Amino acid sequence: MPDEAAARLGVLGGTFDPPHLGHLAAALEVRAKLGLDEVLMVVANDPWQKSPLRPVTPAELRLAMVEAAVAGCRGLTASSIEIDRGGESLTADTLARLRADRPGVELFLVVGSDAAEGLDGWKRCEEVRALATTVVVDRGGREGGRPPGDWPAVVVEAPRLEISSRDLRARFAEGRPVAALVPPGVIEVVSAHGLYRSSP
Ligand code: ATP
Ligand code: MG
């Protein structure tokens, strides 16, 4: 049995509306390069930065898509920790909870370069900064994003896949190709629930 107390644990939070191969490639690369035991793909319950701007798919369906996405990826796990907590999803709460649940755990917060730029705008960002090592993955087409000021971060080079959920929602709505961008299990959930039928 691996000793959970000594785990090196990655946390990749997102709306995952829908999850795609860019998310998986980033998580797997960080896990391999930093020698992490596991990367949690944490599904935001209420993504407070996005929910005022567009309709967000119900959290349970986004979780089902992430579960389908990680099914073939050893070391990646879908996490419902923010859905179980309910309400607005704050990374500071999630990291604190993981610390409390897993004594001795070393946390690595994985963010794409676009998200990294805005870290100081996250609620209770000082706690986020203190609780985990921030790991930045460059996103294709969105280079240059680094955490603001003197926010400490490790940069991991990963395959740059220019894939975004926003583009995928439009592709699903318009019937354009998605099969090389999204795991098959995710497409099954989208079809079964009739998601993304209308253009964003
Ligand atoms: P949207 O287009 O709706 O904003 P997204 O594709 O950016 O969706 P999110 O759920 O917002 O997906 O992203 C969760 C995390 O994954 C963020 O830290 C984001 O920067 C990162 N990420 C998303 N897509 C990629 C990618 N192609 N490569 C690396 N990191 C990514
Ligand atoms: Mg995004």
Side-chain angles (χ1 to χ4, degrees), residues 80-91:
S80 62
I81 182 170
E82 293 185 351
I83 296 173
D84 299 343
R85 194 168 64 232
E88 200 177 53
S89 298
L90 298 192
T91 301

Side-chain angles (χ1 to χ4, degrees), residues 1-26:
M1 274 288 283
D3 180 5
E4 254 203 0
R8 287 164 66 81
L9 185 66
V11 175
L12 173 55
T15 308
F16 301 116
D17 196 11
H20 52 69
L21 296 180
H23 296 128
L24 298 183

Side-chain angles (χ1 to χ4, degrees), residues 13 15-16 20 23 50 112 114 139 161 163-166 169:
T15 308
F16 301 116
H20 52 69
H23 296 128
K50 285 181 180 169
D114 58 319
R139 279 186 84 162
L161 301 181
I163 308 174
S164 72
S165 303
R166 181 192 187 89
R169 291 190 296 272

Side-chain angles (χ1 to χ4, degrees), residues 26 29-30 33-34 108-113 116 133-139 143-147 151-158 160:
E29 198 74 8
V30 170
K33 287 200 166 143
L34 299 187
F108 297 81
L109 177 68
V110 185
V111 290
S113 41
T133 299
T134 299
V135 181
V136 178
V137 180
D138 266 331
R139 279 186 84 162
E143 280 95 317
R146 288 286 179 280
W151 189 294
V154 177
V155 177
V156 169
E157 292 297 325
R160 291 185 182 180

